[in-house]
Amino acid sequence: MKPFSSNDIMFVFDLIILVLGVFWIISAIHMKHTGIPSPILIAKEELPKIKHPEKFCRLMCRPTVVLGVIACLYSGADLFNRFVTKLPFVDLFGVVCFLIVCTWYVKEMRAAKENN
């Protein structure tokens, strides 16, 4: 049995990010309709600290959708680049964009928690 290569590991990583992106989008839509924060955003222990869950859901819906879409685009572009084009700058550009969006999302999450 041969060991996993770095391509195999990155393939699994890309699939995980793709699944998470889809889950974030679905969770955001569910939050918007129910007004109940998603467990992927708020731990059950922190949920009682949120005084206005509907407002929190309203504030976090759009950022969560953006994060999910960017995660799906990043993983899709990385998979395409890995198996089709093989351009090194695409990997770097994708990682930088994904990290920027993750940083922005964390700031939005902190602001939403503070405002509730």
Side-chain angles (χ1 to χ4, degrees), residues 91-108:
D91 286 336
L92 179 62
F93 180 73
V95 169
V96 169
C97 289
F98 184 66
L99 291 176
I100 289 170
V101 171
C102 286
T103 303
W104 167 78
Y105 184 79
V106 168
K107 290 173 85 174
E108 292 292 316

mmCIF file with all atom_site columns, all heavy atoms in Angstrom, residues 91-108:
data_model
loop_
_atom_site.group_PDB
_atom_site.id
_atom_site.type_symbol
_atom_site.label_atom_id
_atom_site.label_alt_id
_atom_site.label_comp_id
_atom_site.label_asym_id
_atom_site.label_entity_id
_atom_site.label_seq_id
_atom_site.pdbx_PDB_ins_code
_atom_site.Cartn_x
_atom_site.Cartn_y
_atom_site.Cartn_z
_atom_site.occupancy
_atom_site.B_iso_or_equiv
_atom_site.pdbx_formal_charge
_atom_site.auth_seq_id
_atom_site.auth_comp_id
_atom_site.auth_asym_id
_atom_site.auth_atom_id
_atom_site.pdbx_PDB_model_num
ATOM 1   N N   . ASP A 1 91  ? -3.294  28.770 -7.365 1.00 0.00 ? 91  ASP A N   1
ATOM 2   C CA  . ASP A 1 91  ? -3.310  28.275 -5.982 1.00 0.00 ? 91  ASP A CA  1
ATOM 3   C C   . ASP A 1 91  ? -3.067  29.413 -5.000 1.00 0.00 ? 91  ASP A C   1
ATOM 4   O O   . ASP A 1 91  ? -3.793  29.559 -4.014 1.00 0.00 ? 91  ASP A O   1
ATOM 5   C CB  . ASP A 1 91  ? -2.248  27.192 -5.766 1.00 0.00 ? 91  ASP A CB  1
ATOM 6   C CG  . ASP A 1 91  ? -2.617  25.877 -6.397 1.00 0.00 ? 91  ASP A CG  1
ATOM 7   O OD1 . ASP A 1 91  ? -3.818  25.633 -6.609 1.00 0.00 ? 91  ASP A OD1 1
ATOM 8   O OD2 . ASP A 1 91  ? -1.696  25.080 -6.661 1.00 0.00 ? 91  ASP A OD2 1
ATOM 9   N N   . LEU A 1 92  ? -2.052  30.208 -5.254 1.00 0.00 ? 92  LEU A N   1
ATOM 10  C CA  . LEU A 1 92  ? -1.715  31.311 -4.357 1.00 0.00 ? 92  LEU A CA  1
ATOM 11  C C   . LEU A 1 92  ? -2.846  32.331 -4.292 1.00 0.00 ? 92  LEU A C   1
ATOM 12  O O   . LEU A 1 92  ? -3.238  32.761 -3.209 1.00 0.00 ? 92  LEU A O   1
ATOM 13  C CB  . LEU A 1 92  ? -0.413  31.981 -4.812 1.00 0.00 ? 92  LEU A CB  1
ATOM 14  C CG  . LEU A 1 92  ? 0.050   33.166 -3.972 1.00 0.00 ? 92  LEU A CG  1
ATOM 15  C CD1 . LEU A 1 92  ? 0.348   32.714 -2.542 1.00 0.00 ? 92  LEU A CD1 1
ATOM 16  C CD2 . LEU A 1 92  ? 1.266   33.803 -4.596 1.00 0.00 ? 92  LEU A CD2 1
ATOM 17  N N   . PHE A 1 93  ? -3.384  32.705 -5.435 1.00 0.00 ? 93  PHE A N   1
ATOM 18  C CA  . PHE A 1 93  ? -4.476  33.677 -5.488 1.00 0.00 ? 93  PHE A CA  1
ATOM 19  C C   . PHE A 1 93  ? -5.701  33.146 -4.738 1.00 0.00 ? 93  PHE A C   1
ATOM 20  O O   . PHE A 1 93  ? -6.335  33.882 -3.980 1.00 0.00 ? 93  PHE A O   1
ATOM 21  C CB  . PHE A 1 93  ? -4.829  33.988 -6.949 1.00 0.00 ? 93  PHE A CB  1
ATOM 22  C CG  . PHE A 1 93  ? -5.945  34.973 -7.098 1.00 0.00 ? 93  PHE A CG  1
ATOM 23  C CD1 . PHE A 1 93  ? -5.741  36.316 -6.822 1.00 0.00 ? 93  PHE A CD1 1
ATOM 24  C CD2 . PHE A 1 93  ? -7.203  34.551 -7.506 1.00 0.00 ? 93  PHE A CD2 1
ATOM 25  C CE1 . PHE A 1 93  ? -6.776  37.230 -6.957 1.00 0.00 ? 93  PHE A CE1 1
ATOM 26  C CE2 . PHE A 1 93  ? -8.248  35.464 -7.639 1.00 0.00 ? 93  PHE A CE2 1
ATOM 27  C CZ  . PHE A 1 93  ? -8.027  36.809 -7.372 1.00 0.00 ? 93  PHE A CZ  1
ATOM 28  N N   . GLY A 1 94  ? -6.023  31.875 -4.933 1.00 0.00 ? 94  GLY A N   1
ATOM 29  C CA  . GLY A 1 94  ? -7.176  31.279 -4.256 1.00 0.00 ? 94  GLY A CA  1
ATOM 30  C C   . GLY A 1 94  ? -7.010  31.253 -2.747 1.00 0.00 ? 94  GLY A C   1
ATOM 31  O O   . GLY A 1 94  ? -7.940  31.594 -2.000 1.00 0.00 ? 94  GLY A O   1
ATOM 32  N N   . VAL A 1 95  ? -5.842  30.868 -2.277 1.00 0.00 ? 95  VAL A N   1
ATOM 33  C CA  . VAL A 1 95  ? -5.592  30.814 -0.831 1.00 0.00 ? 95  VAL A CA  1
ATOM 34  C C   . VAL A 1 95  ? -5.669  32.212 -0.229 1.00 0.00 ? 95  VAL A C   1
ATOM 35  O O   . VAL A 1 95  ? -6.287  32.405 0.827  1.00 0.00 ? 95  VAL A O   1
ATOM 36  C CB  . VAL A 1 95  ? -4.223  30.158 -0.543 1.00 0.00 ? 95  VAL A CB  1
ATOM 37  C CG1 . VAL A 1 95  ? -3.830  30.344 0.904  1.00 0.00 ? 95  VAL A CG1 1
ATOM 38  C CG2 . VAL A 1 95  ? -4.268  28.684 -0.889 1.00 0.00 ? 95  VAL A CG2 1
ATOM 39  N N   . VAL A 1 96  ? -5.070  33.196 -0.886 1.00 0.00 ? 96  VAL A N   1
ATOM 40  C CA  . VAL A 1 96  ? -5.093  34.565 -0.373 1.00 0.00 ? 96  VAL A CA  1
ATOM 41  C C   . VAL A 1 96  ? -6.527  35.087 -0.299 1.00 0.00 ? 96  VAL A C   1
ATOM 42  O O   . VAL A 1 96  ? -6.944  35.650 0.723  1.00 0.00 ? 96  VAL A O   1
ATOM 43  C CB  . VAL A 1 96  ? -4.192  35.492 -1.226 1.00 0.00 ? 96  VAL A CB  1
ATOM 44  C CG1 . VAL A 1 96  ? -4.415  36.952 -0.884 1.00 0.00 ? 96  VAL A CG1 1
ATOM 45  C CG2 . VAL A 1 96  ? -2.734  35.116 -1.046 1.00 0.00 ? 96  VAL A CG2 1
ATOM 46  N N   . CYS A 1 97  ? -7.301  34.895 -1.352 1.00 0.00 ? 97  CYS A N   1
ATOM 47  C CA  . CYS A 1 97  ? -8.701  35.345 -1.350 1.00 0.00 ? 97  CYS A CA  1
ATOM 48  C C   . CYS A 1 97  ? -9.504  34.641 -0.265 1.00 0.00 ? 97  CYS A C   1
ATOM 49  O O   . CYS A 1 97  ? -10.277 35.285 0.456  1.00 0.00 ? 97  CYS A O   1
ATOM 50  C CB  . CYS A 1 97  ? -9.346  35.102 -2.714 1.00 0.00 ? 97  CYS A CB  1
ATOM 51  S SG  . CYS A 1 97  ? -8.738  36.193 -3.998 1.00 0.00 ? 97  CYS A SG  1
ATOM 52  N N   . PHE A 1 98  ? -9.327  33.358 -0.127 1.00 0.00 ? 98  PHE A N   1
ATOM 53  C CA  . PHE A 1 98  ? -10.057 32.594 0.883  1.00 0.00 ? 98  PHE A CA  1
ATOM 54  C C   . PHE A 1 98  ? -9.709  33.080 2.287  1.00 0.00 ? 98  PHE A C   1
ATOM 55  O O   . PHE A 1 98  ? -10.590 33.258 3.131  1.00 0.00 ? 98  PHE A O   1
ATOM 56  C CB  . PHE A 1 98  ? -9.767  31.098 0.723  1.00 0.00 ? 98  PHE A CB  1
ATOM 57  C CG  . PHE A 1 98  ? -10.548 30.225 1.646  1.00 0.00 ? 98  PHE A CG  1
ATOM 58  C CD1 . PHE A 1 98  ? -11.925 30.121 1.537  1.00 0.00 ? 98  PHE A CD1 1
ATOM 59  C CD2 . PHE A 1 98  ? -9.918  29.504 2.642  1.00 0.00 ? 98  PHE A CD2 1
ATOM 60  C CE1 . PHE A 1 98  ? -12.659 29.317 2.397  1.00 0.00 ? 98  PHE A CE1 1
ATOM 61  C CE2 . PHE A 1 98  ? -10.629 28.696 3.503  1.00 0.00 ? 98  PHE A CE2 1
ATOM 62  C CZ  . PHE A 1 98  ? -12.012 28.594 3.380  1.00 0.00 ? 98  PHE A CZ  1
ATOM 63  N N   . LEU A 1 99  ? -8.430  33.325 2.558  1.00 0.00 ? 99  LEU A N   1
ATOM 64  C CA  . LEU A 1 99  ? -8.017  33.808 3.870  1.00 0.00 ? 99  LEU A CA  1
ATOM 65  C C   . LEU A 1 99  ? -8.526  35.217 4.155  1.00 0.00 ? 99  LEU A C   1
ATOM 66  O O   . LEU A 1 99  ? -8.902  35.528 5.290  1.00 0.00 ? 99  LEU A O   1
ATOM 67  C CB  . LEU A 1 99  ? -6.496  33.748 4.011  1.00 0.00 ? 99  LEU A CB  1
ATOM 68  C CG  . LEU A 1 99  ? -5.914  32.334 4.085  1.00 0.00 ? 99  LEU A CG  1
ATOM 69  C CD1 . LEU A 1 99  ? -4.398  32.389 4.132  1.00 0.00 ? 99  LEU A CD1 1
ATOM 70  C CD2 . LEU A 1 99  ? -6.466  31.568 5.273  1.00 0.00 ? 99  LEU A CD2 1
ATOM 71  N N   . ILE A 1 100 ? -8.568  36.055 3.150  1.00 0.00 ? 100 ILE A N   1
ATOM 72  C CA  . ILE A 1 100 ? -9.123  37.402 3.323  1.00 0.00 ? 100 ILE A CA  1
ATOM 73  C C   . ILE A 1 100 ? -10.595 37.328 3.685  1.00 0.00 ? 100 ILE A C   1
ATOM 74  O O   . ILE A 1 100 ? -11.060 38.015 4.601  1.00 0.00 ? 100 ILE A O   1
ATOM 75  C CB  . ILE A 1 100 ? -8.890  38.261 2.057  1.00 0.00 ? 100 ILE A CB  1
ATOM 76  C CG1 . ILE A 1 100 ? -7.414  38.620 1.928  1.00 0.00 ? 100 ILE A CG1 1
ATOM 77  C CG2 . ILE A 1 100 ? -9.755  39.522 2.069  1.00 0.00 ? 100 ILE A CG2 1
ATOM 78  C CD1 . ILE A 1 100 ? -7.036  39.261 0.606  1.00 0.00 ? 100 ILE A CD1 1
ATOM 79  N N   . VAL A 1 101 ? -11.339 36.491 2.983  1.00 0.00 ? 101 VAL A N   1
ATOM 80  C CA  . VAL A 1 101 ? -12.771 36.353 3.279  1.00 0.00 ? 101 VAL A CA  1
ATOM 81  C C   . VAL A 1 101 ? -12.981 35.741 4.664  1.00 0.00 ? 101 VAL A C   1
ATOM 82  O O   . VAL A 1 101 ? -13.874 36.163 5.399  1.00 0.00 ? 101 VAL A O   1
ATOM 83  C CB  . VAL A 1 101 ? -13.482 35.530 2.181  1.00 0.00 ? 101 VAL A CB  1
ATOM 84  C CG1 . VAL A 1 101 ? -14.902 35.178 2.573  1.00 0.00 ? 101 VAL A CG1 1
ATOM 85  C CG2 . VAL A 1 101 ? -13.479 36.305 0.875  1.00 0.00 ? 101 VAL A CG2 1
ATOM 86  N N   . CYS A 1 102 ? -12.158 34.788 5.043  1.00 0.00 ? 102 CYS A N   1
ATOM 87  C CA  . CYS A 1 102 ? -12.274 34.196 6.390  1.00 0.00 ? 102 CYS A CA  1
ATOM 88  C C   . CYS A 1 102 ? -12.016 35.243 7.468  1.00 0.00 ? 102 CYS A C   1
ATOM 89  O O   . CYS A 1 102 ? -12.736 35.300 8.473  1.00 0.00 ? 102 CYS A O   1
ATOM 90  C CB  . CYS A 1 102 ? -11.308 33.023 6.547  1.00 0.00 ? 102 CYS A CB  1
ATOM 91  S SG  . CYS A 1 102 ? -11.814 31.549 5.663  1.00 0.00 ? 102 CYS A SG  1
ATOM 92  N N   . THR A 1 103 ? -11.022 36.090 7.265  1.00 0.00 ? 103 THR A N   1
ATOM 93  C CA  . THR A 1 103 ? -10.721 37.159 8.222  1.00 0.00 ? 103 THR A CA  1
ATOM 94  C C   . THR A 1 103 ? -11.888 38.140 8.317  1.00 0.00 ? 103 THR A C   1
ATOM 95  O O   . THR A 1 103 ? -12.301 38.542 9.412  1.00 0.00 ? 103 THR A O   1
ATOM 96  C CB  . THR A 1 103 ? -9.432  37.893 7.805  1.00 0.00 ? 103 THR A CB  1
ATOM 97  O OG1 . THR A 1 103 ? -8.374  36.943 7.707  1.00 0.00 ? 103 THR A OG1 1
ATOM 98  C CG2 . THR A 1 103 ? -9.066  38.974 8.802  1.00 0.00 ? 103 THR A CG2 1
ATOM 99  N N   . TRP A 1 104 ? -12.431 38.524 7.184  1.00 0.00 ? 104 TRP A N   1
ATOM 100 C CA  . TRP A 1 104 ? -13.597 39.417 7.160  1.00 0.00 ? 104 TRP A CA  1
ATOM 101 C C   . TRP A 1 104 ? -14.778 38.778 7.878  1.00 0.00 ? 104 TRP A C   1
ATOM 102 O O   . TRP A 1 104 ? -15.477 39.436 8.657  1.00 0.00 ? 104 TRP A O   1
ATOM 103 C CB  . TRP A 1 104 ? -13.951 39.746 5.706  1.00 0.00 ? 104 TRP A CB  1
ATOM 104 C CG  . TRP A 1 104 ? -15.282 40.383 5.543  1.00 0.00 ? 104 TRP A CG  1
ATOM 105 C CD1 . TRP A 1 104 ? -15.608 41.690 5.791  1.00 0.00 ? 104 TRP A CD1 1
ATOM 106 C CD2 . TRP A 1 104 ? -16.489 39.746 5.109  1.00 0.00 ? 104 TRP A CD2 1
ATOM 107 N NE1 . TRP A 1 104 ? -16.938 41.890 5.536  1.00 0.00 ? 104 TRP A NE1 1
ATOM 108 C CE2 . TRP A 1 104 ? -17.498 40.714 5.113  1.00 0.00 ? 104 TRP A CE2 1
ATOM 109 C CE3 . TRP A 1 104 ? -16.803 38.449 4.714  1.00 0.00 ? 104 TRP A CE3 1
ATOM 110 C CZ2 . TRP A 1 104 ? -18.813 40.427 4.730  1.00 0.00 ? 104 TRP A CZ2 1
ATOM 111 C CZ3 . TRP A 1 104 ? -18.091 38.156 4.341  1.00 0.00 ? 104 TRP A CZ3 1
ATOM 112 C CH2 . TRP A 1 104 ? -19.087 39.134 4.348  1.00 0.00 ? 104 TRP A CH2 1
ATOM 113 N N   . TYR A 1 105 ? -14.975 37.491 7.648  1.00 0.00 ? 105 TYR A N   1
ATOM 114 C CA  . TYR A 1 105 ? -16.098 36.787 8.267  1.00 0.00 ? 105 TYR A CA  1
ATOM 115 C C   . TYR A 1 105 ? -15.963 36.771 9.787  1.00 0.00 ? 105 TYR A C   1
ATOM 116 O O   . TYR A 1 105 ? -16.951 36.975 10.508 1.00 0.00 ? 105 TYR A O   1
ATOM 117 C CB  . TYR A 1 105 ? -16.194 35.355 7.725  1.00 0.00 ? 105 TYR A CB  1
ATOM 118 C CG  . TYR A 1 105 ? -17.375 34.612 8.256  1.00 0.00 ? 105 TYR A CG  1
ATOM 119 C CD1 . TYR A 1 105 ? -18.637 34.820 7.728  1.00 0.00 ? 105 TYR A CD1 1
ATOM 120 C CD2 . TYR A 1 105 ? -17.248 33.698 9.291  1.00 0.00 ? 105 TYR A CD2 1
ATOM 121 C CE1 . TYR A 1 105 ? -19.735 34.151 8.216  1.00 0.00 ? 105 TYR A CE1 1
ATOM 122 C CE2 . TYR A 1 105 ? -18.338 33.020 9.787  1.00 0.00 ? 105 TYR A CE2 1
ATOM 123 C CZ  . TYR A 1 105 ? -19.577 33.245 9.246  1.00 0.00 ? 105 TYR A CZ  1
ATOM 124 O OH  . TYR A 1 105 ? -20.664 32.584 9.742  1.00 0.00 ? 105 TYR A OH  1
ATOM 125 N N   . VAL A 1 106 ? -14.769 36.536 10.282 1.00 0.00 ? 106 VAL A N   1
ATOM 126 C CA  . VAL A 1 106 ? -14.546 36.524 11.737 1.00 0.00 ? 106 VAL A CA  1
ATOM 127 C C   . VAL A 1 106 ? -14.858 37.900 12.329 1.00 0.00 ? 106 VAL A C   1
ATOM 128 O O   . VAL A 1 106 ? -15.483 38.003 13.387 1.00 0.00 ? 106 VAL A O   1
ATOM 129 C CB  . VAL A 1 106 ? -13.108 36.075 12.061 1.00 0.00 ? 106 VAL A CB  1
ATOM 130 C CG1 . VAL A 1 106 ? -12.759 36.321 13.518 1.00 0.00 ? 106 VAL A CG1 1
ATOM 131 C CG2 . VAL A 1 106 ? -12.930 34.605 11.710 1.00 0.00 ? 106 VAL A CG2 1
ATOM 132 N N   . LYS A 1 107 ? -14.466 38.960 11.635 1.00 0.00 ? 107 LYS A N   1
ATOM 133 C CA  . LYS A 1 107 ? -14.781 40.316 12.100 1.00 0.00 ? 107 LYS A CA  1
ATOM 134 C C   . LYS A 1 107 ? -16.286 40.542 12.126 1.00 0.00 ? 107 LYS A C   1
ATOM 135 O O   . LYS A 1 107 ? -16.825 41.131 13.069 1.00 0.00 ? 107 LYS A O   1
ATOM 136 C CB  . LYS A 1 107 ? -14.096 41.356 11.214 1.00 0.00 ? 107 LYS A CB  1
ATOM 137 C CG  . LYS A 1 107 ? -12.592 41.389 11.378 1.00 0.00 ? 107 LYS A CG  1
ATOM 138 C CD  . LYS A 1 107 ? -11.938 42.288 10.370 1.00 0.00 ? 107 LYS A CD  1
ATOM 139 C CE  . LYS A 1 107 ? -11.954 43.709 10.865 1.00 0.00 ? 107 LYS A CE  1
ATOM 140 N NZ  . LYS A 1 107 ? -11.195 44.616 9.985  1.00 0.00 ? 107 LYS A NZ  1
ATOM 141 N N   . GLU A 1 108 ? -16.991 40.084 11.100 1.00 0.00 ? 108 GLU A N   1
ATOM 142 C CA  . GLU A 1 108 ? -18.448 40.226 11.052 1.00 0.00 ? 108 GLU A CA  1
ATOM 143 C C   . GLU A 1 108 ? -19.109 39.433 12.183 1.00 0.00 ? 108 GLU A C   1
ATOM 144 O O   . GLU A 1 108 ? -20.065 39.899 12.799 1.00 0.00 ? 108 GLU A O   1
ATOM 145 C CB  . GLU A 1 108 ? -18.990 39.759 9.693  1.00 0.00 ? 108 GLU A CB  1
ATOM 146 C CG  . GLU A 1 108 ? -18.609 40.640 8.539  1.00 0.00 ? 108 GLU A CG  1
ATOM 147 C CD  . GLU A 1 108 ? -19.254 42.005 8.597  1.00 0.00 ? 108 GLU A CD  1
ATOM 148 O OE1 . GLU A 1 108 ? -20.460 42.084 8.899  1.00 0.00 ? 108 GLU A OE1 1
ATOM 149 O OE2 . GLU A 1 108 ? -18.553 43.003 8.332  1.00 0.00 ? 108 GLU A OE2 1
#
